[in-house]
Amino acid sequence: MVLHAKKSAQLLRDLQRARWLPPFNEKVIKEVADEINNDFREFMSLTRMLDADMAEDLEVPQDTAGGLMLFTDLMERNKRNILIYLNHRLEKIEELRWEIGHMIPEDKLGMLSEAEKVYLYRYNDILDDYMRHYVPECKAGLDLTADVEAPEEMNVQVRVLDDSVGEILTPDTA
């Protein structure tokens, strides 16, 4: 019992120590999944014992109730840790796309699993498709990644490429 949730907690510590992302640790994730499955089997074993006791109209033994709560807590903690690990990695991948664009450095690409690379490529495709088709009449696509920071000045100069637009009214012009 001492080693429960240690491996999933180690994954989170690795995330915390890394400058960007640590290499994807599939081996430890599989070990944590096995740990969750083993805890579930123990949980089901205790449940069957409890069902047998309840069939005889006996009171629920304290150790059985405690064991059920313990195994539930262990499974939930491991699941939460794994989900935090995976979600954090996906958020970092999305941030990388917004900061760098398409040209992902090879050293960062090497830290990703094959599934994460597929996610990155699909995310790129979806974002590019959205930017190309957001304004269908526009010849150049909308680049949402151009300025990540908001402008410091309140006044923005607008240049119109087509003279046939006519007069432009904004909320400030009255």
Side-chain angles (χ1 to χ4, degrees), residues 3-80:
L3 296 177
H4 274 80
K6 294 285 185 189
K7 291 178 183 177
S8 62
Q10 181 61 43
L11 288 172
L12 298 181
R13 279 192 292 278
D14 291 345
L15 279 180
Q16 204 171 26
R17 286 188 206 120
R19 290 184 69 193
W20 181 63
L21 279 179
F24 188 77
N25 200 338
E26 188 173 353
K27 178 184 174 223
V28 173
I29 288 178
K30 285 182 180 179
E31 290 173 358
V32 173
D34 290 341
E35 188 175 303
I36 292 169
N37 288 332
N38 290 337
D39 290 342
F40 182 72
R41 282 191 282 280
E42 288 291 326
F43 177 84
M44 292 309 293
S45 169
L46 287 174
T47 304
R48 283 189 290 277
M49 287 174 41
L50 181 64
D51 286 344
D53 288 344
M54 297 305 282
E56 298 173 8
D57 291 330
L58 298 176
E59 236 180 77
V60 178
Q62 288 290 327
D63 57 345
T64 304
L68 288 171
M69 289 175 35
L70 173 70
F71 284 111
T72 301
D73 183 48
L74 293 172
M75 289 184 293
E76 293 299 318
R77 182 171 296 139
N78 273 331
K79 288 178 189 178
R80 266 192 316 272

Side-chain angles (χ1 to χ4, degrees), residues 24-165:
F24 188 77
N25 200 338
E26 188 173 353
K27 178 184 174 223
V28 173
I29 288 178
K30 285 182 180 179
E31 290 173 358
V32 173
D34 290 341
E35 188 175 303
I36 292 169
N37 288 332
N38 290 337
D39 290 342
F40 182 72
R41 282 191 282 280
E42 288 291 326
F43 177 84
M44 292 309 293
S45 169
L46 287 174
T47 304
R48 283 189 290 277
M49 287 174 41
L50 181 64
D51 286 344
D53 288 344
M54 297 305 282
E56 298 173 8
D57 291 330
L58 298 176
E59 236 180 77
V60 178
Q62 288 290 327
D63 57 345
T64 304
L68 288 171
M69 289 175 35
L70 173 70
F71 284 111
T72 301
D73 183 48
L74 293 172
M75 289 184 293
E76 293 299 318
R77 182 171 296 139
N78 273 331
K79 288 178 189 178
R80 266 192 316 272
N81 288 348
I82 291 293
L83 289 174
I84 291 168
Y85 176 80
L86 296 173
N87 189 52
H88 180 77
R89 292 183 68 87
L90 291 181
E91 286 175 354
K92 285 293 193 179
I93 291 168
E94 291 174 9
E95 285 175 16
L96 183 68
R97 169 57 172 98
W98 285 90
E99 291 171 6
I100 295 177
H102 286 284
M103 303 306 293
I104 308 297
E106 196 61 40
D107 61 325
K108 291 193 177 189
L109 206 55
M111 299 292 185
L112 305 179
S113 69
E114 287 304 314
E116 290 172 328
K117 289 177 187 175
V118 169
Y119 178 80
L120 173 65
Y121 298 138
R122 287 185 181 166
Y123 187 77
N124 281 336
D125 291 343
I126 290 169
L127 186 59
D128 291 342
D129 189 47
Y130 178 77
M131 289 189 294
R132 266 193 309 276
H133 296 95
Y134 181 72
V135 184
E137 302 86 35
C138 188
K139 292 177 181 141
L142 175 68
D143 188 7
L144 294 173
T145 62
D147 293 320
V148 178
E149 301 280 328
E152 292 180 17
E153 294 182 26
M154 294 297 287
N155 298 325
V156 178
Q157 181 181 9
V158 178
R159 290 183 282 157
V160 179
L161 300 175
D162 189 2
D163 291 335
S164 65
V165 172

